[in-house]
Amino acid sequence: MSRLLYERSVSYKGYLIIPFVFGKVDNYDIYSYRLLSEIGHRSQFHKTENPAGIYGGGVSNIVDIAKEHIDQNSEFVHRGDSFKSRYIYQNNLIIIFQEGDKYFYDHYPPELLNNIAAPKLFTSEYECLSWIKQGFDRRYVRPRAI
């Protein structure tokens, strides 16, 4: 599987549709998708790959396929856009959540949907994003030659 195209993800009815290049046929990309659900593991489609079993020839095509599958098989009543505060940094997906006056995040690396976020609470979305960015920047700093 190629990296997940978080920058082309679409939030739809409580799911985040995340396309990726599944393979190539005659130098044409064939697309598939993965899903995240706002209700997490209570959804049979959370972190699933292409539950519709249909592939597409472009990102918009695969997103339409995913939407149709969600329309026909949604398991819950959508309560708002849980994925509206999502960011991509160094090809990683960061989703910020708010509960009351506290903020926390989910962090997914480029190739798989495993949440690797630290269990930490923040007082603002900005504080949360700054902390995440500092962590990434520290990790990718190369030592200077002497």
Side-chain angles (χ1 to χ4, degrees), residues 32-46:
S32 187
Y33 66 97
R34 303 275 317 252
L35 290 175
L36 287 177
S37 169
E38 73 180 20
I39 63 170
H41 292 287
R42 293 176 294 174
S43 168
Q44 67 178 330
F45 300 124
H46 186 63

Side-chain angles (χ1 to χ4, degrees), residues 4-136:
L4 297 164
L5 302 174
Y6 294 132
E7 67 276 8
R8 304 289 301 272
S9 64
V10 174
S11 180
Y12 185 72
K13 294 185 176 179
Y15 294 91
L16 186 63
I17 303 165
I18 307 164
F20 66 93
V21 176
F22 179 76
K24 287 190 178 282
V25 174
D26 294 330
N27 289 328
Y28 291 97
D29 290 336
I30 304 299
Y31 290 86
S32 187
Y33 66 97
R34 303 275 317 252
L35 290 175
L36 287 177
S37 169
E38 73 180 20
I39 63 170
H41 292 287
R42 293 176 294 174
S43 168
Q44 67 178 330
F45 300 124
H46 186 63
K47 295 186 179 182
T48 60
E49 182 176 327
N50 198 342
I54 303 170
Y55 299 85
V59 170
S60 61
N61 179 241
I62 200 64
V63 166
D64 289 344
I65 290 167
K67 285 179 176 180
E68 183 177 337
H69 181 265
I70 290 167
D71 287 342
Q72 294 172 1
N73 298 285
S74 185
E75 314 156 287
F76 57 90
V77 175
H78 172 60
R79 50 174 199 225
D81 190 357
S82 298
F83 302 106
K84 71 177 180 242
S85 293
R86 67 182 185 277
Y87 304 90
I88 292 87
Y89 192 69
Q90 298 179 3
N91 293 326
N92 290 262
L93 175 64
I94 310 298
I95 305 169
I96 308 292
F97 301 98
Q98 180 182 6
E99 285 187 14
D101 61 350
K102 300 294 180 194
Y103 294 79
F104 59 98
Y105 71 100
D106 284 350
H107 168 202
Y108 297 95
E111 287 83 25
L112 56 138
L113 284 181
N114 287 341
N115 182 8
I116 57 174
K120 186 167 173 58
L121 295 176
F122 302 90
T123 58
S124 71
E125 186 169 337
Y126 176 79
E127 179 189 16
C128 184
L129 286 171
S130 295
W131 188 83
I132 295 165
K133 186 177 181 304
Q134 286 174 357
F136 272 107

